[in-house]
Structures are given as structure tokens and as C-alpha cells.
Amino acid sequence: MTENPYPNLGFNPVPCSAAEVAALGTMVKAATDAVIETNTFLARIRSSIADVHLGRKHDATRPRFDTALARDLGYAQTSLENSALLVQNWHTTLTSSQQIARTLDAEAASRRASHARAIDALQRAKSNPDFDLATEQFTTSTQWADAQARLDRAAAELTSAVAAVNTCQRDIDAIIERAANLQSDTTTNSSVVGDNSITPHVTPLPSEFPPVVYLPVLTEVQRVEEAQIMLRQTQDGRVACLAYSALDRLHHCCGSDQPWMWTPTVALDALQLAQPFELLFLDLEIPEENRLANLT
């Protein structure tokens, strides 16, 4: 168990790790940069009126790039940029909250020390030997008046000591209440970020990954925006996308009748947003009995 960094509060009102939030921000920024790079790449393709190929058993050339993909990439970029801002604000708020927690812990330490001194003073006041004068007998009025004065002073000191203890305890309770409110605010802020941000686990593609990949699709279509990439489920239940580094490898691994499309590798993040998958396999050979032609 992690040691409580705020021992005088008795609990950690800001249990989140600023370092982990900063790392999360780095991950979201990396995803954002990847989508921006994709958008830039596709913009260059559209501006140069480059042909994008859509294949069945043969090549077919389309005159314009996939507008649906460009639109989805725009949505993805906006969403990720909003997420990056949320995480950045979360980190700023968290850092500030941790400073407040440290201040509260220091205040609690001071008040607890004062409370301890007040308890000691209360014990001394209770043990004042002058209280024994209440049971003694006096022969003169002067002795009685002196004893009464000492008793009054002892009682006043006891009353003051009790008040000091109560004041210190109220101060401690107020500090703990402020720390509890800080904890509640921190939990709320964390929930807001969790509910509104995209926090994908980004695993960079290997450097040798091809810049363009060929993807099996479910059916032959006339327009790329209508294509649905073929996803496969692994034995452990995860969803996988199959990608191929060349068209001949796709035909060899999936069969010559397999419909296909190609896409820039940097666009895979956007495809994953549109059709979520957890794994990406390159040049994976599909057994004959599991190929599309044998499943229909």
C-alpha cells in the first residue's frame, strides 16, 4: 500500500498521480498528432487529385478520395483535441489541489501540535493542588479568602484549558472538512475527465510497417465510403484487423476472391474509431476453410 503523503490529515484527499495524468496527456497528444498527420497526408492526396484504388478481383480507380474518411478524421481530431485540453486542465487542477492538500496537512500538523499542548495544559490544570483547598478547614477569614482566591484561579485555569482544547479540536475538524471537500472535488473532476475524454492505449506501429496497407473488406462496393473492413475475433475474444503489405500477399493469404481496399497506414487510427478493433495483424495467412469465399 502506498504511504499516505498527508499523515496529519489521516487520509489522502488527492489520490490521483500527477505524473500518471501527465503521461496520459502525452498519450492523447500522440494520438492527436497522428490524426493531424493523417489529415495533412489526405489533404495532400486530395489537392493533387491522386487516385485511390478499390479492388475486388481487379483494380478499380476512383476519382476522389474517401470523403467519409476525411469527415471522420475531422471528428476524431476535434474529439482528441478536446480530450487533450481536458487532460491538461485536469493536470493543472490536480497539481493545484495537491498544493492545497500539502498546505492543509501543514495546518493540521500545527493544530495537532497545539492540541497536544492544550491537552497537557488541561491535565496540569486538573492536577492543580489548589483544588485540595476545597476540603480544608480555615480558622480565619483571611485564610479562607486566600484559599477561595486560589480555588477561583485554579477553576479559571481549568476552564481556559478546556476551552483551548475545544478550540484546537474545532480547528482540526475544520481542516479535515476542507480536506474532505477537496477530495470530493478531486473525485468529481476525475469523473468529468473520465466521462468526456478519449483515453486510448496507443501502441506505436513498428518503424518497418509499410506506409500503405491493403485491407480485406466484407463485400464488393462501388464507393470506398461504403466499404466495411473485415474484422476477425481471436480465441480470447479480442477483435483484430488484418492488414497486408502488398496486394499479392492479400490474395495469397485471403484468397483471390477476397474484396479489398487500400489505405495509408496513418489512417488506421481513424478506421479504428469508425470500426473499433484491439489488434492489428500484418500479412496473416487465413486457413482455407476460414476464408470469406468458404464462409458465404
Side-chain angles (χ1 to χ4, degrees):
M1 180 179 295
T2 304
E3 183 179 356
N4 178 19
Y6 311 104
N8 298 292
L9 296 177
F11 65 99
N12 186 350
V14 193
C16 302
S17 167
E20 291 180 0
V21 174
L24 174 61
T26 300
M27 292 170 59
V28 176
K29 184 179 184 302
T32 305
D33 291 344
V35 173
I36 292 175
E37 180 183 357
T38 302
N39 270 329
T40 303
F41 182 85
L42 298 186
R44 289 202 302 268
I45 292 179
R46 289 193 295 273
S47 65
S48 62
I49 320 179
D51 290 338
V52 177
H53 297 285
L54 175 69
R56 304 194 298 274
K57 298 179 182 178
H58 57 276
D59 290 348
T61 303
R62 55 170 292 172
R64 61 186 176 82
F65 198 75
D66 184 1
T67 55
L69 177 58
R71 179 199 62 209
D72 291 341
L73 278 169
Y75 292 157
Q77 180 176 335
T78 299
S79 180
L80 284 167
E81 287 173 342
N82 290 338
S83 297
L85 181 60
L86 278 171
V87 174
Q88 180 181 357
N89 291 340
W90 183 21
H91 182 267
T92 300
T93 301
L94 181 60
T95 303
S96 175
S97 296
Q98 289 178 333
Q99 179 57 52
I100 293 173
R102 286 191 289 270
T103 300
L104 289 174
D105 189 66
E107 290 181 14
S110 175
R111 298 315 296 164
R112 289 189 186 281
S114 297
H115 184 266
R117 290 193 295 270
I119 291 292
D120 289 340
L122 176 59
Q123 295 301 324
R124 289 194 300 272
K126 288 180 178 180
S127 302
N128 192 329
D130 286 348
F131 283 117
D132 295 334
L133 295 172
T135 61
E136 293 185 13
Q137 299 293 322
F138 303 99
T139 58
T140 67
S141 59
T142 302
Q143 291 176 335
W144 181 88
D146 180 66
Q148 186 61 53
R150 291 167 61 185
L151 277 169
D152 290 344
R153 284 195 300 271
E157 290 174 359
L158 179 60
T159 299
S160 177
V162 170
V165 170
N166 291 337
T167 297
C168 290
Q169 187 59 57
R170 283 195 298 271
D171 290 345
I172 293 171
D173 292 343
I175 293 171
I176 298 304
E177 182 178 1
R178 289 160 60 194
N181 291 337
L182 179 63
Q183 183 182 46
S184 177
D185 291 343
T186 300
T187 301
T188 299
N189 290 333
S190 300
S191 298
V192 168
V193 173
D195 291 341
N196 290 280
S197 65
I198 296 175
T199 57
H201 179 71
V202 179
T203 301
L205 292 174
S207 58
E208 66 272 13
F209 215 84
V212 172
V213 291
Y214 296 80
L215 306 175
V217 297
L218 292 176
T219 59
E220 299 175 356
V221 295
Q222 296 301 317
R223 296 188 304 168
V224 170
E225 55 264 31
E226 298 174 352
Q228 293 288 315
I229 61 174
M230 179 180 293
L231 301 177
R232 299 274 182 158
Q233 190 171 39
T234 62
Q235 290 182 348
D236 60 5
R238 289 182 291 177
V239 177
C241 174
L242 308 183
Y244 295 88
S245 56
L247 182 57
D248 59 342
R249 293 187 181 180
L250 182 143
H251 285 158
H252 172 75
C253 295
C254 299
S256 58
D257 291 334
Q258 174 65 59
W260 57 271
M261 63 176 286
W262 75 258
T263 183
T265 297
V266 292
L268 289 174
D269 284 337
L271 287 175
Q272 186 180 30
L273 290 175
Q275 293 182 253
F277 56 85
E278 301 165 90
L279 301 172
L280 178 64
F281 292 123
L282 182 66
D283 294 338
L284 180 68
E285 184 169 359
I286 304 300
E288 289 280 351
E289 64 272 15
N290 293 329
R291 294 181 180 180
L292 182 63
N294 296 323
L295 295 178
T296 57

